[in-house]
Amino acid sequence: MEEAIVAEGLVKVFYTKERKSLFRSVKRRVEALRGVSFSVRRGEIFGLLGPNGAGKTTTIKILSTLLLPDAGEAWVNGFHVVKEASRVRECIGVSLYSDRGFYWKLTGRENLRYFAYLYQMPRREAEKRINEVLKLVGLENDADRLVEEYSTGMKSKLNFARALLHDPPILFLDEPTIGLDPASARRVRELILEMKRQGKTVLLTTHNMFEAELLCDRVAIINRGRIVAINTPSELKRRVGRNNVVEVEALNIPPSAAEALSSVRGLRRIYTRIRDPASSMGELRLIFEDGVDDLGDVLSAISRAGMKVLSVKIVEPTLEDVFIELTGEKLGES
């Protein structure tokens, strides 16, 4: 199958000023990308999964010609992103989470009309398409309000509508459901799947594991500017093992929970998530070397540590488990 997107050894370095004192600052070197390589097949939904700061948005900005790479090369729809940037822009739609490229004193419809004319769409075709995309994203009733009156979720919808405006074959979607209510997020996911059914290629970034598993044909896990694994979600989860994850809901989880359970046989890794600081209620997620058949050792160790078990179950591994297995970090830590 022909590849729609190819990235080879992409490197991007930023320099920022770090304040050391009131009158002194030093230049800090930030390696956003450290040799990122991957390819996306035509008609595929491909996800970049990683924490904030991993390099996801930088990758999309390079592929969409908004940033120049410091090293490496990339092609989109067969066109080189540096040497043939204008050709790349003709065949892509881009929705960036942090994008502020709208005119706030214009309405949503007027903004889309402006961008349609930039794409040199004939006026009648532009008006028809604007109405179509506004309806697709659920903004038809707010199309004639000023963008400065839009909520964060409404701006996200308008951003997505702009990406679809000229019906491009390739879409770059950066955190497409952030800021949306559950119903709107579900609608956007349905639209992304519909784009795939229409034969479009979608590259999306997310740190939402559920979203990645639901939408993506393949996922690249990215951390600290490097790709650490690429495969289908199901194949990636096999790295952890089918029956190797135990989830415990408990009260009185101490900060030293990992140390308290270190004696449990076969335990490879443990991490906690506290939901209620007042009662230290939350979840323990235990990853074992081999399948778990007997939970007696786990329950005994939890009891000795003074925790009160509310529920315990063997669960399917998630992409977060894979991320932790590959990097030793939680998705939110980098």
Side-chain angles (χ1 to χ4, degrees):
M1 185 182 294
E2 188 182 353
E3 294 164 329
I5 302 168
V6 177
E8 294 183 355
L10 293 179
V11 173
K12 187 64 184 177
V13 177
F14 297 103
Y15 291 92
T16 63
K17 287 187 177 181
E18 182 178 357
R19 178 174 289 181
K20 291 296 185 179
S21 65
L22 184 61
F23 301 105
R24 179 174 172 266
S25 61
V26 296
K27 185 180 287 188
R28 179 168 171 258
R29 188 174 188 267
V30 179
E31 294 181 276
L33 299 182
R34 309 180 187 189
V36 167
S37 299
F38 62 90
S39 62
V40 182
R41 303 167 188 140
R42 292 194 183 277
E44 180 178 38
I45 300 177
F46 187 92
L48 285 176
L49 175 67
N52 294 331
K56 304 187 301 293
T57 300
T58 301
T59 301
I60 275 193
K61 285 185 174 181
I62 289 175
L63 294 173
S64 58
T65 77
L66 295 174
L67 279 178
L68 290 173
D70 293 320
E73 295 186 288
W75 294 262
V76 173
N77 209 28
F79 302 115
H80 195 279
V81 298
V82 177
K83 299 173 184 176
E84 300 171 288
S86 61
R87 299 297 301 274
V88 171
R89 293 171 193 145
E90 291 173 1
C91 57
I92 63 172
V94 183
S95 175
L96 296 177
Y97 165 60
S98 59
D99 191 14
R100 299 184 179 182
F102 291 111
Y103 295 93
W104 287 29
K105 295 298 182 181
L106 297 180
T107 67
R109 186 187 305 277
E110 288 168 340
N111 268 278
L112 292 181
R113 185 177 293 141
Y114 169 76
F115 289 106
Y117 293 165
L118 288 182
Y119 283 117
Q120 300 181 346
M121 297 174 66
R123 182 169 182 173
R124 184 173 296 180
E125 178 187 336
E127 294 302 319
K128 179 183 178 182
R129 184 61 180 164
I130 287 168
N131 289 330
E132 289 175 353
V133 296
L134 285 169
K135 187 174 181 179
L136 276 175
V137 301
L139 278 180
E140 65 268 36
N141 295 327
D142 299 293
D144 297 309
R145 291 176 58 186
L146 297 179
V147 169
E148 67 180 1
E149 300 174 4
Y150 278 17
S151 66
T152 299
M154 291 165 69
K155 290 171 189 170
S156 295
K157 291 180 182 179
L158 188 63
N159 211 346
F160 191 46
R162 182 177 60 182
L164 299 176
L165 186 58
H166 59 301
D167 198 23
I170 298 173
L171 292 169
F172 293 113
L173 307 177
D174 185 27
E175 302 282 3
T177 59
I178 278 192
L180 298 180
D181 60 82
S184 296
R186 183 170 61 251
R187 177 58 180 154
V188 167
R189 293 184 188 116
E190 290 171 353
L191 283 173
I192 292 172
L193 291 172
E194 177 60 28
M195 296 302 107
K196 172 182 167 63
R197 286 191 287 271
Q198 293 178 13
K200 297 186 186 298
T201 303
V202 181
L203 172 59
L204 64 87
T205 72
T206 184
H207 61 264
N208 184 321
M209 298 165 295
F210 166 76
E211 192 165 87
E213 292 191 44
L214 178 67
L215 296 176
C216 297
D217 298 302
R218 289 188 302 144
V219 172
I221 296 178
I222 184 170
N223 187 47
R224 302 184 188 275
R226 297 184 188 277
I227 301 287
V228 295
I230 299 177
N231 216 321
T232 64
S234 58
E235 285 296 325
L236 286 171
K237 289 189 290 184
R238 286 182 188 176
R239 293 192 176 208
V240 177
R242 181 177 176 85
N243 297 317
N244 289 15
V245 182
V246 175
E247 187 175 271
V248 180
E249 187 178 18
L251 295 170
N252 305 321
I253 299 176
S256 58
E259 182 180 349
L261 299 180
S262 60
S263 62
V264 175
R265 185 177 57 203
L267 182 61
R268 183 165 61 196
R269 197 179 301 278
I270 175 174
Y271 60 98
T272 62
R273 181 178 287 118
I274 302 298
R275 293 206 309 265
D276 180 16
S279 62
S280 295
M281 183 185 77
E283 290 124 13
L284 302 168
R285 199 166 182 88
L286 315 176
I287 300 177
F288 288 81
E289 291 286 351
D290 299 305
V292 181
D293 298 317
D294 183 7
L295 295 173
D297 287 350
V298 175
L299 296 175
S300 296
I302 289 174
S303 178
R304 289 195 300 270
M307 291 178 268
K308 181 179 178 181
V309 174
L310 301 178
S311 68
V312 58
K313 54 188 175 182
I314 298 174
V315 298
E316 289 287 326
T318 67
L319 288 178
E320 183 168 17
D321 296 322
V322 178
F323 185 87
I324 292 170
E325 184 69 14
L326 294 170
T327 68
E329 304 172 353
K330 295 183 185 179
L331 268 172
E333 289 181 347
S334 290

